[in-house]
């Protein structure tokens, strides 16, 4: 008997049935969801900037960083940056990638790696900029992940701050393996009082 | 030389000069950050119920969920392997390395890989494997063993770790590690980045297997799983079959309680769902998942199956007075603390771990803090009952029955304890003592309680109230 058949033959099947609750509709974002996201992220070592549109975010990036790579064509066009595929992974200092969603209560940013925009190397540079549209901020993890999973990514990454370790004397120390600096560029925030 | 017994390990831990200093850090975390996040989350109890239901649902439906996971993962381009035992799992890992022509491996922290002895197996096969979690790196570099499921180096004081970094300038360079522990994290990052870039193959564990999506979820604070995934050609996730969960909504429920219970964070810094190999031209080019049974399917059919619902947060050991006194190494197995006492007998046999479920004060703090509400104390009781039914501890059973009778009959209790007290003080008791204490059944008792007339302070046993 194969290992698979052997294991499956021993595994329980429906010994108890728990009712499956219907999936609830996405919870409407809190009016100050973006501010809450920014506050939580700040607590975990990240930073946020608000922009009226992608072009303004691109201008800010050009002023701030001498070289910033953007491997995603659509985002590069929106920001007015040249598309530069990441080839030498350790030589890159800053990178900007699209942020596919965010979860406000935990200050979590989600990046999705899929055929239309691989972002797998986003964890290697010291500084990572994530460009997030205000309409992609959610209040619950499930609501944020639902549309992204439908797009069949190769990976989804939920980032809730800069890399840290608690392994040395149980102290939280910044800078373990992932990015040292993390910025979220929140664009297209509706004006106060405007309908969403 | 035979391995030390549980009693010997406990004695050694209690005499350890620095263990209690390092374990006292756990109290700082549980009384500080963890309490704060509980206080700020009024919905936390409801979240615990939802997480428990998600995990119980998975354990009860292990078979169909594993089949669903396998189909979805294969559709995503992942190769799925099944291993009945640790040995089979290690062999599959070695075979994948050889088939992919991998020369150097890296791995993230994974309790299952400790269970399997993955690093040792790979190195015996000529494939060096570097740990990338900083705590695990310290453990590997110093030739030690992890002692906690979340903080593997918790038994080492900061001074001990600092001394290690200072003793190896060839690895970490010259830094002012005493004054600035952040420099140690930076030095480890620099060293480990080299390991990342030299590796062909990377091993991770998995916090959950999302059945409907065919994804492996990995949670870290350091981001090492994400960096690993960015650089290796082949990614291998070695995951216990009990980690399967219905879908991403169920996983979200588990994720919500994991970090608050483990470290007092709202959420860990990095949570990744790996669905399959990377896109064309990006890494990893291949993804494998090894599903490991090693006793889990047997345990899933036992009354103690709730132990399989564990999400490896370490909350039970952080609060356990026994763990806080003796640390993780004294338990002997991969999983220390109350969850080890509940899980290890189910995975590796009652006989091999009979001491663990007896090493409990029954204070039930572990039950109170478990984020998925595993009834750890009840499971330990069940193991004890099963152990006593094996008949190897008949004397213990008789003693318990005798005590049970006395506890229910206060007059008899007073009479017997009064007689015993008088007998212990009688001159002839000194002559009987060597005979009594040389009996195998009293050997452990003698280790703790010296002869009552031999200078030890007297102990008065109060009769239960009527």
């Amino acid at each position: 008997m194969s290992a698979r058949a052997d294991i499956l033959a021993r595994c329980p099947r429906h010994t108890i049935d728990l009712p499956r609750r219907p999936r609830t509709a996405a919870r409407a974002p809190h009016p100050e969801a973006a501010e809450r996201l920014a506050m939580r992220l700040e607590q975990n070592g990240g930073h946020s900037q608000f922009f009226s549109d992608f072009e303004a975010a691109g201008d800010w990036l050009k002023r701030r960083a001498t070289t910033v790579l953007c491997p995603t064509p659509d985002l590069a066009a929106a920001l007015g940056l040249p598309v530069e595929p990441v080839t030498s992974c350790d030589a890159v200092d800053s990178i900007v990638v699209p942020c596919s969603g965010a979860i406000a209560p935990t200050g979590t940013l989600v990046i999705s790696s899929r055929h239309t925009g691989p972002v797998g190397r986003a964890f290697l540079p010291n500084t990572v900029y994530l460009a997030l549209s205000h309409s992609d901020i959610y209040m619950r993890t499930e609501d944020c992940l639902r549309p992204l999973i439908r797009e069949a990514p190769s990976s989804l990454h939920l980032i809730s701050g800069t890399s840290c370790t608690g392994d040395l004397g149980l102290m939280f120390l910044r800078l373990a393996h992932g990015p040292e600096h993390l910025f979220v560029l929140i664009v297209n925030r509706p004006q106060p009082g405007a309908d969403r | 030389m035979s391995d030390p017994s549980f009693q010997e390990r406990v004695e050694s831990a209690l005499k350890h000069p620095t263990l209690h200093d390092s374990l006292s850090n756990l109290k700082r975390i549980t009384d500080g950050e963890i309490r704060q996040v509980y206080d700020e989350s009024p919905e936390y109890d409801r979240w615990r119920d939802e997480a428990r239901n998600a995990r119980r649902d998975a354990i009860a439906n292990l078979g169909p969920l594993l089949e669903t996971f396998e189909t979805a993962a294969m559709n995503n381009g992942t190769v799925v392997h099944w291993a009945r035992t640790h040995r089979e799992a290690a062999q599959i890992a070695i075979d994948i390395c050889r088939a992919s022509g991998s020369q150097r491996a890296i791995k993230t922290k994974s309790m299952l890989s400790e269970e399997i002895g993955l690093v040792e197996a790979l190195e015996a096969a000529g494939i060096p494997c570097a740990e990338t979690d900083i705590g695990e790196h310290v453990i590997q570099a110093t030739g030690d063993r992890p002692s906690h499921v979340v903080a593997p180096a918790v038994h080492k004081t900061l001074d001990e770790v600092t001394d290690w970094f200072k003793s190896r300038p060839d690895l970490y360079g010259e830094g002012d590690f005493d004054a600035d522990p952040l420099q140690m994290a930076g030095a480890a990052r620099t060293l480990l980045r080299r390991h990342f870039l030299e590796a062909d193959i990377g091993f991770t564990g998995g916090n959950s297997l999302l059945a409907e999506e065919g994804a492996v979820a990995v949670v870290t604070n350091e981001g090492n799983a994400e960096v690993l995934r960015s650089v290796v050609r082949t990614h291998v996730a070695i995951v216990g079959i009990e980690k399967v969960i219905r879908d991403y909504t169920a996983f979200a429920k588990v994720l919500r309680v994991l970090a608050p219970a483990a470290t007092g964070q709202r959420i860990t810094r990095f949570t990744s769902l790996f669905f399959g190999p990377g896109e064309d031209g990006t890494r990893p080019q291949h993804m494998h998942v090894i599903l490991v049974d090693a006793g889990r399917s047997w345990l899933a059919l036992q009354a103690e199956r709730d132990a399989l619902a564990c999400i490896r947060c370490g909350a039970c050991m952080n609060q356990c007075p026994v763990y806080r006194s003796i640390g993780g190494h004294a338990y002997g197995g991969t999983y220390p603390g109350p969850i080890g006492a509940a899980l290890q007998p189910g995975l590796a046999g009652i006989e091999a771990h009979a001491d663990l479920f007896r090493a409990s004060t029954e204070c039930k703090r572990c039950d109170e803090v478990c984020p998925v509400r595993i009834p750890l104390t009840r499971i330990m009781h069940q193991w004890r009952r099963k152990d006593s039914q094996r008949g190897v501890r008949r004397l213990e059973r008789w003693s318990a029955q005798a005590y049970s009778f006395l506890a229910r009959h206060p007059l008899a209790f007073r009479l017997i304890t009064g007689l015993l007290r008088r007998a212990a003080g009688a001159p002839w008791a000194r002559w009987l003592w060597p005979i009594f204490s040389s009996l195998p059944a009293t050997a452990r008792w003698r280790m703790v309680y010296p002869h009552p007339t031999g200078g030890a302070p007297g102990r008065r046993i109060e009769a239960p109230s009527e």
Side-chain angles (χ1 to χ4, degrees), chain B residues 229-243:
Chain B
R229 196 50 203 191
S230 304
V231 295
V232 296
R233 278 188 284 118
T234 306
H235 171 205
V236 184
I238 306 184
V239 193
I241 56 171
E242 86 282 14
K243 294 293 184 70

Side-chain angles (χ1 to χ4, degrees), chain A residues 29 33-34 37 54 98-104 108-110 114 131-141 143-145 147-148 151 184-190 196:
Chain A
L37 173 77
F54 279 95
C99 181
S100 306
I103 305 151
T108 302
L109 309 167
V110 185
R114 54 182 189 269
L132 170 71
S133 176
H134 188 275
S135 58
D136 290 332
I137 301 176
Y138 295 85
M139 297 305 288
R140 293 191 311 187
T141 308
D143 299 337
C144 182
L145 295 183
L148 301 178
E151 293 171 348
V184 58
L185 317 177
I186 303 172
V187 298
N188 298 336
R189 180 162 59 157
R196 290 198 57 204

Side-chain angles (χ1 to χ4, degrees), chain B residues 399-419:
Chain B
S399 306
Q401 284 168 349
Y403 181 77
S404 169
F405 173 82
L406 293 176
R408 282 180 282 119
H409 298 86
L411 280 176
F413 186 93
R414 283 205 188 105
L415 183 68
I416 296 293
T417 52
L419 284 173

